[in-house]
Amino acid sequence: MTPFLGSVFWLLVTLGVLVTFHEFGHYWVARRCGVKVLRFSVGFGKAIWKRVGRDGTEYWIAAIPLGGYVKMLDAREGEVDPALRDQEFTGKSVWKRIAIVAAGPGFNVIFTIAALWLMFMLGRSDFAPVVTATPDSIAAQAGIQPGDRILSVNGRQVTTWSDSMDAIGNALLALTPLPLTVRHADGQTGQLVLPLDQLPAGQPIDQYFGKLGLRLAPPPAVAGTVKPGQPAALAGIRSGDRIVSINGQPVGDFDSLGKLVQSAAATSPRLSIALLRDGRPLTLDATATWESLGGQPAKWMLGVAPPPPEPATVQYSPARALGAAFTTTWRNTRQTFSMIGEMLSGHASTKNISSVIGIAQYANASAQMGLAWFLQFLAMVSLSLAILNLLPIPVLDGGHLLYYLIELVKGSPVSEQVMVIGQYIGLVLLFSLVGWTLFNDIQRTLLS
């Protein structure tokens, strides 16, 4: 499956699951509040399958798989049979209407916790946060050394590269000095501060990460895999050998190994390779070959692949996974509201918001990484959907909740004229947001 088709497929899966679960929340609570549900549809448009339940509700699977909707008995949409008036939505108490409307975002939060719980139990494969810094970058100036292991970010303990980047990414929105605890390659623990306040405000977060210059440390100069029939294998190099020097030039890590092979072979393809095998020194001669692999520009090859980065799997027992799911949900909720506040204040760039294009790309990427990663992605999108729907914008659940809160205060419903005006305002705001996020993603795609 091509990246484009994969992105479309996993976007449909994501929206189908999350929006349907959201609408099921409205449906489930409406039924328990005595409201008649006329239709529960998975998808939009014309029904490709439907049946009528014992309760009189039509259950549809519709042609356009981009979510779903719930249609309730509502006097605002037409005449109501007097025999069914006690099952009509607007006739219910304001507290029941609040419960029905809030149930959609509430079920998205429940889905978030459940998905994270399952993810933590399955185990999410990741890499250890062993890092290095690009020369002259902010991280290098702060004192990050090659091989440093990040232990905590702003007091939050981290054990994986992804958790480290998540914590640092949240701090990049606030642009305040960020304390880190690291363990150096020599085993000593140190404290340092990333001066994020030196970064200019209002830029996209990917630009901040570039200026920060923090990345996974390259693997050691150890032969992870030796390809049969290639120069290294023909010279006698074995998997696990540590390469010490090329033509007498010391090798620090696998990145420097690649650079030394290119520079040395440009003078003469025959290379003298000093290595350690089981702690014993050994010198072998290999003749590099000039090759192009996978359509890439040709370069000098030895046929040695690096060892994989140090793995770090996050996996808990069911009880501990549930606690971690609640903690992660709460932390990401705070971070999301913090991001909204930073963007409203102009401190953080609105270019950090993604549209369906960005969501589709992330959906495909996470699905390729495995079920645990896709569950985490679904959880984060579900939480974002809950928070977005709670914003006090007419046409969203939060807008309806605002109307009902006003009704509680003034003792009577908001006038129909006010609600109509609010609907227009809400649509303008919503389409403006969609248009802006689409522009962000298209611009990001064209510039990448």
Side-chain angles (χ1 to χ4, degrees):
M1 188 181 294
T2 66
F4 174 76
L5 292 178
S7 296
V8 171
F9 175 78
W10 290 110
L11 173 67
L12 294 178
V13 171
T14 299
L15 295 182
V17 170
L18 298 184
V19 178
T20 299
F21 204 81
H22 175 99
E23 295 301 328
F24 180 76
H26 293 310
Y27 164 84
W28 191 82
V29 175
R31 290 285 306 276
R32 275 140 191 83
C33 289
V35 174
K36 182 173 180 59
V37 178
L38 302 178
R39 182 181 302 150
F40 182 93
S41 176
V42 176
F44 297 100
K46 186 177 180 180
I48 57 176
W49 176 90
K50 63 181 178 180
R51 74 175 183 86
V52 178
R54 294 179 181 178
D55 55 3
T57 300
E58 291 183 339
Y59 296 92
W60 282 22
I61 296 179
I64 305 174
L66 292 175
Y69 64 92
V70 171
K71 181 178 176 62
M72 304 178 201
L73 186 64
D74 194 323
R76 294 168 298 184
E77 299 178 1
E79 291 293 326
V80 175
D81 188 334
L84 300 175
R85 197 155 290 160
D86 63 331
Q87 300 179 54
E88 189 266 331
F89 177 77
T90 63
K92 297 299 180 180
S93 70
V94 66
W95 287 110
K96 286 187 177 181
R97 281 178 277 144
I98 287 174
I100 293 169
V101 171
F107 268 55
N108 279 130
V109 174
I110 292 171
F111 182 94
T112 298
I113 295 170
L116 289 173
W117 179 57
L118 182 56
M119 181 271 288
F120 282 124
M121 286 194 297
L122 288 175
R124 187 193 67 198
S125 299
D126 206 331
F127 301 120
V130 180
V131 300
T132 189
T134 304
D136 301 322
S137 64
I138 288 179
Q141 294 170 14
I144 290 289
Q145 303 170 18
D148 280 354
R149 182 185 295 266
I150 301 176
L151 302 179
S152 71
V153 179
N154 200 22
R156 172 185 162 189
Q157 183 178 357
V158 293
T159 57
T160 67
W161 169 247
S162 299
D163 286 344
S164 302
M165 291 300 97
D166 175 66
I168 293 172
N170 185 59
L172 282 169
L173 293 172
L175 295 183
T176 55
L178 181 65
L180 298 183
T181 302
V182 300
R183 185 165 64 241
H184 301 302
D186 60 6
Q188 297 296 313
T189 299
Q191 307 287 329
L192 53 88
V193 177
L194 297 178
L196 303 184
D197 53 329
Q198 295 181 7
L199 293 167
Q203 292 189 354
I205 197 166
D206 55 345
Q207 292 186 20
Y208 287 149
F209 272 117
K211 293 175 181 178
L212 181 61
L214 193 66
R215 59 189 180 91
L216 280 173
V222 173
T225 303
V226 180
K227 300 177 183 178
Q230 293 293 307
L234 296 175
I237 296 176
R238 302 175 186 173
S239 178
D241 286 350
R242 184 179 188 91
I243 300 173
V244 177
S245 68
I246 301 287
N247 288 353
Q249 295 294 315
V251 174
D253 52 43
F254 212 90
D255 282 359
S256 64
L257 169 63
K259 293 175 183 176
L260 279 173
V261 168
Q262 300 309 307
S263 60
T267 302
S268 171
R270 189 169 179 82
L271 307 175
S272 175
I273 302 175
L275 52 85
L276 289 175
R277 177 177 296 166
D278 299 326
R280 299 191 308 272
L282 184 64
T283 301
L284 299 173
D285 290 331
T287 302
T289 56
W290 182 256
E291 293 184 50
S292 173
L293 297 178
Q296 298 296 314
K299 61 180 181 179
W300 294 105
M301 299 282 190
L302 279 180
V304 176
E310 181 184 338
T313 300
V314 178
Q315 188 172 23
Y316 302 135
S317 66
R320 190 179 176 193
L322 185 60
F326 275 101
T327 300
T328 304
T329 300
W330 173 243
R331 181 175 61 244
N332 281 280
T333 300
R334 289 190 292 108
Q335 290 178 358
T336 302
F337 278 110
S338 174
M339 182 182 71
I340 293 172
E342 295 290 347
M343 287 191 294
L344 291 175
S345 68
H347 203 222
S349 173
T350 54
K351 291 184 178 180
N352 292 314
I353 309 175
S354 290
S355 70
V356 291
I357 296 176
I359 294 172
Q361 292 170 340
Y362 287 124
N364 186 45
S366 62
Q368 304 311 311
M369 295 168 69
L371 178 58
W373 282 97
F374 188 62
L375 284 169
Q376 177 178 265
F377 168 78
L378 286 177
M380 295 304 100
V381 177
S382 184
L383 183 61
S384 298
L385 185 62
I387 293 172
L388 174 65
N389 269 279
L390 287 175
L391 296 179
I393 299 174
V395 311
L396 297 179
D397 292 332
H400 293 292
L401 291 174
L402 177 62
Y403 291 149
Y404 299 148
L405 291 176
I406 293 173
E407 181 178 340
L408 281 174
V409 173
K410 66 189 289 281
S412 60
V414 175
S415 69
E416 186 173 340
Q417 183 180 9
V418 170
M419 293 184 70
V420 170
I421 294 173
Q423 293 284 84
Y424 282 119
I425 294 173
L427 287 172
V428 169
L429 291 173
L430 201 57
F431 280 117
S432 298
L433 178 63
V434 170
W436 178 247
T437 56
L438 282 171
F439 173 77
N440 285 345
D441 280 339
I442 292 171
Q443 185 181 52
R444 190 180 299 120
T445 301
L446 292 176
L447 294 176
S448 61

